[in-house]
Every structure is written in C-alpha cells, then in structure tokens.
Amino acid sequence: MTAGGAGDSGRPAPRMVAPVRWPTGLRANETGEPSGALESRGAPTLRYDLSLSENPFPPLPSVVDALEDCMDKANRYPEFLPKRLPQVIADHLGVDADQVVVGSGATGVAMQIMQTLPRAGAGFVYAAPTFDGYPIMANMIGLRSVAVPLDPHGRQDLWGMARAVDERTGLIAICRPHNPTGTVVAASELKAFLYSIPVRVPVVLDEAYVEFLGAADGLDTLELIRRHPNVLVLRTFSKAYGLAGLRIGYAFGAPELVRRVHRLQLPFGVPATAVAAVRASYAAEAELGERILRITTERELLRAELRRGGIRVPRSSANFLYLPGRDIAPALARAGIVAKRYPDGSARIAVGDPAADRAVLHALADRPTAGMRSLRREDSRLLTLTARYEPTSRRGPRT
C-alpha cells in the first residue's frame, strides 16, 4: 500500500507526506510550509497533516465507482447553472429544489451568501475563534467583523452574540458543532436565540459536521427554516462523506432567501461528477454510518487519553479535537505533526486515523510539562484566550 492510500482492509488513508526535511532553522506552520525558527535544534520530518479536519478514509467504494463511470464524459461541460444537483439534494432533504443552492464546498456557498445577503459595510456577527473562512471572506467582501469570544468551556456565547446585534448587523453565523472546539449549542438554546433575532437579519446555521452529531443533539432543521425564514442551513460533502477534493457544498432555507443567493451562482461551476458522487453517497448511508462510528470511536478514545494526561480537551461532536495549552502546538510540530495552530499555542487536530492518534499521544507525552499536574479549572481560560485570534492572511480559509 502506498502512503496515503487504502488497502483491502478498509483502513483509513492518513494524510501523509513523503519524508522531506525542512531547512535548518525553520518549522512547519498549519499549512505545512516552513515559517519561523525551530524551538529545538534540527528539523522534524513531516509525518501527519492533521490541520484540515479531513476524513482519513478515501471515498466509499460505490462513490469511487460512480465517479469512474462519469469520467469518460469529462470533455463535456456541466450544466450552465446547476439544476440536477439541487434537485437530488432537495429530494433527500424533503424540500423543494428552489430551497437549495449549491456551490464549491460550504466555503463557496458561504461566500455567495456573504456577497448577496448583507449590504457592504454591514456587521457580521460570529463566535471567535471560528472557521477561518468567515473573517477572511468578511474582510475580502467589506463586511465589518463582530467577533464574540467563546465562553470558558469553548461554547458559543449566543446571548453575547444576540447583544452584539444592532441596526447595522447584516449577517450572523452559528456553527453546530462549533469549529474549532467541537462543542454543540443546545437545540432549545438555539431556538430561543433565533426568536430574539430580527427577521431582517439573515442567520447562517453552519452544519459542516452535522453527520457526527449524536442522536441526543438532533435538530429538526426543516421545522427551523419554516419558523425562521431568515435562516439558511449550510452543509458540505467534504467532511463525513470524504469528498473534500470534489468541493461540493449546499445551503437550504426559505425560497426567497435562496433566490437572493442564487444571483451569484457561477456558470459551469458544478461538475457532473458532483451529481454522481452525491447520488452514490446518499445510496451508501449504511457504509457511511460505519465509517462515522469508527471515526467517533477513535475520537473518544483519544480524548480520554489526552484528558488523563492533563489536557482539558472539550467534548467534541465533530471529527476533530481542540487541545488547549500553550505547549500543545509546539510539541506537535517538534514531532512532525501539522495541526491547526492558534496564537496561544493551542491546536485543533483531525481524528480517526489510529496511527496518527498514537503519534499525537506520543508527541504530547514527551512535552516538558506532561505529567506534571492535571490542569486546574481556571486553566479553561485558555479557550477564551484564543478568541483574540483574527486571521491576517488572505491566502484562503483553513477548513
């Protein structure tokens, strides 16, 4: 089996890179590129890239077969404006096709929403830290970012966000589960929050990781969009379905809201492979469920071991873990593990690959402070420290 591939056993295909030595005096940042000085002499070999909350498994076999079947038509343009894919998704959700808008991953759809719904210069309210794409795209479009810090437990402060809404607010984003902490806003709290928001203010409910939610955290999104015509539910096939490279995302909500977002639908922007992949993915939900179970089981095993080692890892309902601590990201970097890094030293890592998870445990067990003491309750403040993070790079969002 080659690096990054999968054998007949169905083992995950870890995101691995050929052994390349970084130049002496440099280290990897969250993009996997050299930047800055090493904390210790010598340069580590890049072993695992866990920075992008990717599914460690390749696409489901039936999805691969469906993609291969349509490749002989790759010389043909797809539909000028997508009609088949919104219909396939709408049929699966139980909504009308005019309630669905599709695009290049959830990021592409979010960009369309941010360009069409709020006016230029309007306020964009979100919890911080969050998905990097939101503040980056807000800056590109000319929206005014209004970042509300997470609470000490890594949860979104919905009432703090509600207080931040004023007459200049043009858009709100709520992540469920939240990125990067994996925490989940209670359904009852979310509903109460939405009732407090003026109907003129659009709300994006970002459910990029919804497939990883437990049954107790379920939410009737169809009822939600019926009661709140200002809500758009944003989803992707990049995470649980393992199709990040195909860039398939969508949002659904009230027809009038979707119609406004459709105004920036990119012609020829959705390939025919997307239709084939989505149909096959929906038909293989039993196999998908098995993979999700394997990923979430690994997540819980890893979280338990990390907490035993004194790291206050929040309970996650996604395919990643958030590791608060000033020495976490440096320790991972020294071991050749690329993580999504935050200025205070905390990190977010993708989970699901047992070999990568073991490497994380070894890397953190070797850090100087490991085993000295369990973190105290007040150390949960580390979560709020990362709320100061505002991406300055315009190179593109990190998912």
Side-chain angles (χ1 to χ4, degrees), residues 15-59:
R15 182 181 178 86
M16 300 184 68
V17 183
V20 176
R21 291 283 179 178
W22 297 323
T24 302
L26 299 178
R27 73 172 177 209
N29 60 16
E30 68 269 20
T31 66
E33 297 172 341
S35 68
L38 273 173
E39 289 85 350
S40 58
R41 297 183 63 182
T45 299
L46 183 57
R47 299 171 60 199
Y48 294 99
D49 186 346
L50 307 181
S51 63
L52 284 173
S53 62
E54 293 166 317
N55 191 319
F57 297 98

Short mmCIF file of all heavy atoms in Angstrom, two decimals, residues 15-59:
data_model
loop_
_atom_site.label_atom_id
_atom_site.label_comp_id
_atom_site.label_asym_id
_atom_site.label_seq_id
_atom_site.Cartn_x
_atom_site.Cartn_y
_atom_site.Cartn_z
N ARG A 15 -3.38 11.34 5.94
CA ARG A 15 -2.77 12.40 5.13
C ARG A 15 -1.30 12.44 5.47
O ARG A 15 -0.89 13.02 6.46
CB ARG A 15 -3.45 13.73 5.43
CG ARG A 15 -2.92 14.90 4.61
CD ARG A 15 -3.64 16.18 5.00
NE ARG A 15 -3.13 17.32 4.28
CZ ARG A 15 -3.56 17.70 3.08
NH1 ARG A 15 -4.51 17.02 2.50
NH2 ARG A 15 -3.06 18.76 2.47
N MET A 16 -0.48 11.77 4.66
CA MET A 16 0.95 11.68 4.93
C MET A 16 1.71 12.32 3.79
O MET A 16 1.23 12.41 2.66
CB MET A 16 1.37 10.22 5.12
CG MET A 16 0.67 9.53 6.28
SD MET A 16 1.26 7.85 6.55
CE MET A 16 2.91 8.16 7.14
N VAL A 17 2.88 12.75 4.09
CA VAL A 17 3.73 13.42 3.12
C VAL A 17 5.04 12.68 3.04
O VAL A 17 5.54 12.17 4.04
CB VAL A 17 3.96 14.89 3.53
CG1 VAL A 17 4.78 15.63 2.49
CG2 VAL A 17 2.62 15.59 3.74
N ALA A 18 5.61 12.59 1.85
CA ALA A 18 6.91 11.93 1.70
C ALA A 18 7.93 12.58 2.63
O ALA A 18 7.89 13.78 2.87
CB ALA A 18 7.38 12.06 0.24
N PRO A 19 8.84 11.78 3.20
CA PRO A 19 9.80 12.33 4.16
C PRO A 19 10.67 13.40 3.53
O PRO A 19 11.58 13.14 2.77
CB PRO A 19 10.65 11.11 4.56
CG PRO A 19 9.80 9.92 4.23
CD PRO A 19 9.01 10.32 3.03
N VAL A 20 10.34 14.65 3.84
CA VAL A 20 11.09 15.79 3.35
C VAL A 20 11.59 16.57 4.55
O VAL A 20 10.82 16.83 5.48
CB VAL A 20 10.20 16.70 2.46
CG1 VAL A 20 10.97 17.94 2.05
CG2 VAL A 20 9.74 15.94 1.22
N ARG A 21 12.85 16.92 4.55
CA ARG A 21 13.41 17.68 5.67
C ARG A 21 13.23 19.18 5.41
O ARG A 21 13.55 19.68 4.33
CB ARG A 21 14.91 17.38 5.81
CG ARG A 21 15.18 15.98 6.30
CD ARG A 21 14.93 15.85 7.78
NE ARG A 21 15.17 14.49 8.24
CZ ARG A 21 15.07 14.14 9.51
NH1 ARG A 21 14.71 15.01 10.41
NH2 ARG A 21 15.30 12.88 9.86
N TRP A 22 12.67 19.89 6.41
CA TRP A 22 12.59 21.33 6.28
C TRP A 22 13.98 21.92 6.48
O TRP A 22 14.82 21.33 7.17
CB TRP A 22 11.64 21.90 7.33
CG TRP A 22 10.25 21.42 7.17
CD1 TRP A 22 9.59 21.18 6.01
CD2 TRP A 22 9.34 21.08 8.21
NE1 TRP A 22 8.34 20.73 6.26
CE2 TRP A 22 8.15 20.66 7.60
CE3 TRP A 22 9.41 21.10 9.61
CZ2 TRP A 22 7.04 20.27 8.33
CZ3 TRP A 22 8.31 20.72 10.34
CH2 TRP A 22 7.14 20.32 9.70
N PRO A 23 14.25 23.08 5.90
CA PRO A 23 15.56 23.72 6.08
C PRO A 23 15.84 23.95 7.56
O PRO A 23 14.95 24.25 8.35
CB PRO A 23 15.41 25.05 5.34
CG PRO A 23 14.32 24.79 4.34
CD PRO A 23 13.38 23.83 5.00
N THR A 24 17.10 23.79 7.95
CA THR A 24 17.50 24.02 9.33
C THR A 24 17.10 25.42 9.76
O THR A 24 17.28 26.39 9.04
CB THR A 24 19.02 23.86 9.48
OG1 THR A 24 19.37 22.55 9.05
CG2 THR A 24 19.45 24.07 10.93
N GLY A 25 16.51 25.50 10.97
CA GLY A 25 16.09 26.79 11.49
C GLY A 25 14.67 27.15 11.13
O GLY A 25 14.20 28.23 11.45
N LEU A 26 13.97 26.26 10.42
CA LEU A 26 12.58 26.53 10.05
C LEU A 26 11.68 25.47 10.62
O LEU A 26 12.12 24.38 10.95
CB LEU A 26 12.43 26.56 8.52
CG LEU A 26 13.24 27.61 7.77
CD1 LEU A 26 13.00 27.47 6.29
CD2 LEU A 26 12.88 29.01 8.24
N ARG A 27 10.41 25.76 10.74
CA ARG A 27 9.45 24.79 11.21
C ARG A 27 8.20 24.88 10.36
O ARG A 27 8.00 25.85 9.61
CB ARG A 27 9.10 25.03 12.68
CG ARG A 27 8.23 26.25 12.88
CD ARG A 27 7.75 26.34 14.31
NE ARG A 27 6.97 27.56 14.47
CZ ARG A 27 6.87 28.23 15.60
NH1 ARG A 27 7.52 27.82 16.66
NH2 ARG A 27 6.14 29.31 15.67
N ALA A 28 7.29 23.92 10.51
CA ALA A 28 6.05 23.94 9.73
C ALA A 28 5.00 24.71 10.49
O ALA A 28 4.88 24.59 11.70
CB ALA A 28 5.56 22.52 9.48
N ASN A 29 4.22 25.50 9.76
CA ASN A 29 3.04 26.10 10.36
C ASN A 29 1.84 25.26 9.99
O ASN A 29 1.96 24.15 9.49
CB ASN A 29 2.87 27.55 9.90
CG ASN A 29 2.72 27.67 8.39
OD1 ASN A 29 2.45 26.69 7.71
ND2 ASN A 29 2.92 28.87 7.87
N GLU A 30 0.61 25.79 10.21
CA GLU A 30 -0.56 24.96 9.97
C GLU A 30 -0.79 24.63 8.51
O GLU A 30 -1.58 23.76 8.18
CB GLU A 30 -1.81 25.63 10.56
CG GLU A 30 -2.24 26.90 9.86
CD GLU A 30 -1.61 28.13 10.48
OE1 GLU A 30 -0.59 27.97 11.17
OE2 GLU A 30 -2.13 29.24 10.29
N THR A 31 -0.13 25.31 7.59
CA THR A 31 -0.27 24.99 6.18
C THR A 31 0.72 23.94 5.74
O THR A 31 0.69 23.50 4.60
CB THR A 31 -0.05 26.24 5.31
OG1 THR A 31 1.29 26.66 5.43
CG2 THR A 31 -0.99 27.36 5.73
N GLY A 32 1.64 23.55 6.63
CA GLY A 32 2.65 22.57 6.27
C GLY A 32 3.85 23.20 5.60
O GLY A 32 4.73 22.51 5.12
N GLU A 33 3.92 24.55 5.57
CA GLU A 33 5.02 25.23 4.93
C GLU A 33 5.99 25.75 5.99
O GLU A 33 5.58 26.04 7.12
CB GLU A 33 4.50 26.39 4.09
CG GLU A 33 3.61 25.94 2.96
CD GLU A 33 2.96 27.11 2.26
OE1 GLU A 33 2.91 28.19 2.84
OE2 GLU A 33 2.49 26.93 1.14
N PRO A 34 7.27 25.91 5.66
CA PRO A 34 8.22 26.40 6.65
C PRO A 34 7.93 27.85 7.02
O PRO A 34 7.60 28.66 6.17
CB PRO A 34 9.57 26.29 5.93
CG PRO A 34 9.34 25.36 4.79
CD PRO A 34 7.90 25.54 4.41
N SER A 35 8.04 28.18 8.31
CA SER A 35 7.95 29.58 8.73
C SER A 35 8.45 29.68 10.16
O SER A 35 8.00 28.96 11.03
CB SER A 35 6.52 30.10 8.65
OG SER A 35 5.71 29.49 9.61
N GLY A 36 9.40 30.57 10.42
CA GLY A 36 9.85 30.80 11.78
C GLY A 36 10.98 29.89 12.21
O GLY A 36 11.42 29.00 11.48
N ALA A 37 11.41 30.06 13.42
CA ALA A 37 12.54 29.30 13.94
C ALA A 37 12.07 28.09 14.72
O ALA A 37 11.04 28.09 15.35
CB ALA A 37 13.38 30.20 14.85
N LEU A 38 12.83 27.04 14.67
CA LEU A 38 12.53 25.84 15.44
C LEU A 38 12.74 26.09 16.93
O LEU A 38 13.64 26.83 17.33
CB LEU A 38 13.45 24.69 15.01
CG LEU A 38 12.99 23.85 13.84
CD1 LEU A 38 14.11 22.89 13.46
CD2 LEU A 38 11.74 23.06 14.19
N GLU A 39 11.87 25.44 17.73
CA GLU A 39 12.07 25.54 19.16
C GLU A 39 13.31 24.78 19.61
O GLU A 39 13.93 25.10 20.62
CB GLU A 39 10.84 24.99 19.90
CG GLU A 39 9.60 25.86 19.79
CD GLU A 39 8.82 25.57 18.53
OE1 GLU A 39 9.33 24.84 17.66
OE2 GLU A 39 7.70 26.09 18.41
N SER A 40 13.66 23.75 18.88
CA SER A 40 14.85 22.97 19.23
C SER A 40 15.69 22.80 17.98
O SER A 40 15.23 22.99 16.86
CB SER A 40 14.44 21.61 19.79
OG SER A 40 13.65 20.91 18.85
N ARG A 41 16.93 22.42 18.17
CA ARG A 41 17.83 22.27 17.03
C ARG A 41 17.41 21.08 16.17
O ARG A 41 16.93 20.07 16.66
CB ARG A 41 19.26 22.08 17.53
CG ARG A 41 19.78 23.28 18.32
CD ARG A 41 21.22 23.08 18.72
NE ARG A 41 22.09 22.98 17.54
CZ ARG A 41 23.39 22.75 17.61
NH1 ARG A 41 23.97 22.59 18.79
NH2 ARG A 41 24.11 22.66 16.51
N GLY A 42 17.62 21.20 14.85
CA GLY A 42 17.24 20.15 13.94
C GLY A 42 15.82 20.35 13.47
O GLY A 42 15.02 21.01 14.11
N ALA A 43 15.48 19.77 12.35
CA ALA A 43 14.15 19.94 11.77
C ALA A 43 13.43 18.61 11.75
O ALA A 43 13.98 17.60 11.34
CB ALA A 43 14.26 20.49 10.34
N PRO A 44 12.16 18.55 12.19
CA PRO A 44 11.43 17.30 12.21
C PRO A 44 10.99 16.87 10.81
O PRO A 44 10.88 17.68 9.90
CB PRO A 44 10.20 17.63 13.07
CG PRO A 44 9.97 19.09 12.83
CD PRO A 44 11.35 19.68 12.68
N THR A 45 10.76 15.59 10.67
CA THR A 45 10.21 15.07 9.43
C THR A 45 8.69 15.15 9.50
O THR A 45 8.09 14.75 10.49
CB THR A 45 10.62 13.61 9.22
OG1 THR A 45 12.05 13.55 9.14
CG2 THR A 45 10.02 13.05 7.94
N LEU A 46 8.09 15.70 8.47
CA LEU A 46 6.63 15.82 8.44
C LEU A 46 6.03 14.43 8.35
O LEU A 46 6.25 13.69 7.40
CB LEU A 46 6.21 16.67 7.24
CG LEU A 46 4.71 16.96 7.10
CD1 LEU A 46 4.18 17.62 8.35
CD2 LEU A 46 4.46 17.83 5.89
N ARG A 47 5.23 14.06 9.36
CA ARG A 47 4.67 12.71 9.44
C ARG A 47 3.18 12.69 9.14
O ARG A 47 2.71 11.87 8.38
CB ARG A 47 4.93 12.13 10.83
CG ARG A 47 6.40 12.00 11.18
CD ARG A 47 6.57 11.63 12.65
NE ARG A 47 5.91 10.38 12.96
CZ ARG A 47 5.59 10.00 14.20
NH1 ARG A 47 5.86 10.81 15.23
NH2 ARG A 47 5.02 8.85 14.43
N TYR A 48 2.42 13.59 9.78
CA TYR A 48 0.98 13.63 9.60
C TYR A 48 0.52 15.07 9.50
O TYR A 48 0.95 15.93 10.26
CB TYR A 48 0.26 12.98 10.80
CG TYR A 48 0.52 11.50 10.93
CD1 TYR A 48 1.47 11.03 11.85
CD2 TYR A 48 -0.17 10.57 10.16
CE1 TYR A 48 1.72 9.68 11.98
CE2 TYR A 48 0.08 9.22 10.29
CZ TYR A 48 1.02 8.78 11.20
OH TYR A 48 1.26 7.44 11.32
N ASP A 49 -0.39 15.32 8.56
CA ASP A 49 -1.02 16.63 8.44
C ASP A 49 -2.44 16.49 8.98
O ASP A 49 -3.31 15.93 8.31
CB ASP A 49 -1.03 17.10 6.99
CG ASP A 49 -1.55 18.52 6.85
OD1 ASP A 49 -2.15 19.06 7.79
OD2 ASP A 49 -1.38 19.09 5.76
N LEU A 50 -2.69 17.00 10.17
CA LEU A 50 -3.99 16.91 10.82
C LEU A 50 -4.66 18.27 10.91
O LEU A 50 -5.55 18.48 11.72
CB LEU A 50 -3.83 16.31 12.22
CG LEU A 50 -3.07 14.99 12.32
CD1 LEU A 50 -3.01 14.52 13.77
CD2 LEU A 50 -3.73 13.92 11.44
N SER A 51 -4.24 19.19 10.06
CA SER A 51 -4.68 20.58 10.18
C SER A 51 -6.01 20.87 9.52
O SER A 51 -6.61 21.91 9.77
CB SER A 51 -3.61 21.51 9.59
OG SER A 51 -3.46 21.26 8.19
N LEU A 52 -6.49 19.96 8.68
CA LEU A 52 -7.65 20.30 7.84
C LEU A 52 -8.91 19.49 8.14
O LEU A 52 -9.71 19.29 7.27
CB LEU A 52 -7.28 20.12 6.35
CG LEU A 52 -6.42 21.22 5.76
CD1 LEU A 52 -5.98 20.86 4.34
CD2 LEU A 52 -7.17 22.54 5.74
N SER A 53 -9.09 18.99 9.31
CA SER A 53 -10.28 18.23 9.71
C SER A 53 -10.83 17.37 8.57
O SER A 53 -12.02 17.33 8.31
CB SER A 53 -11.38 19.16 10.25
OG SER A 53 -11.84 20.08 9.31
N GLU A 54 -9.90 16.68 7.90
CA GLU A 54 -10.29 15.81 6.78
C GLU A 54 -10.75 14.45 7.28
O GLU A 54 -10.36 14.00 8.37
CB GLU A 54 -9.11 15.62 5.83
CG GLU A 54 -8.72 16.88 5.10
CD GLU A 54 -7.36 16.75 4.43
OE1 GLU A 54 -6.44 16.19 5.06
OE2 GLU A 54 -7.23 17.21 3.29
N ASN A 55 -11.55 13.78 6.48
CA ASN A 55 -11.89 12.39 6.72
C ASN A 55 -10.66 11.55 6.39
O ASN A 55 -10.11 11.68 5.30
CB ASN A 55 -13.07 12.00 5.83
CG ASN A 55 -13.68 10.67 6.18
OD1 ASN A 55 -12.98 9.71 6.48
ND2 ASN A 55 -15.00 10.59 6.14
N PRO A 56 -10.19 10.68 7.29
CA PRO A 56 -8.98 9.91 6.99
C PRO A 56 -9.21 8.80 5.98
O PRO A 56 -8.24 8.22 5.49
CB PRO A 56 -8.59 9.33 8.36
CG PRO A 56 -9.89 9.19 9.08
CD PRO A 56 -10.72 10.38 8.64
N PHE A 57 -10.47 8.49 5.67
CA PHE A 57 -10.77 7.43 4.73
C PHE A 57 -10.94 7.96 3.31
O PHE A 57 -11.40 9.09 3.12
CB PHE A 57 -12.06 6.71 5.13
CG PHE A 57 -12.00 6.01 6.45
CD1 PHE A 57 -12.50 6.60 7.59
CD2 PHE A 57 -11.44 4.74 6.55
CE1 PHE A 57 -12.46 5.97 8.82
CE2 PHE A 57 -11.38 4.09 7.78
CZ PHE A 57 -11.90 4.71 8.91
N PRO A 58 -10.61 7.17 2.32
CA PRO A 58 -10.91 7.56 0.93
C PRO A 58 -12.42 7.50 0.71
O PRO A 58 -13.16 6.99 1.57
CB PRO A 58 -10.18 6.50 0.10
CG PRO A 58 -10.13 5.30 1.00
CD PRO A 58 -9.97 5.84 2.40
N PRO A 59 -12.93 8.01 -0.41
CA PRO A 59 -14.37 7.93 -0.67
C PRO A 59 -14.87 6.49 -0.61
O PRO A 59 -14.11 5.54 -0.86
CB PRO A 59 -14.50 8.50 -2.08
CG PRO A 59 -13.32 9.41 -2.24
CD PRO A 59 -12.21 8.75 -1.47
#
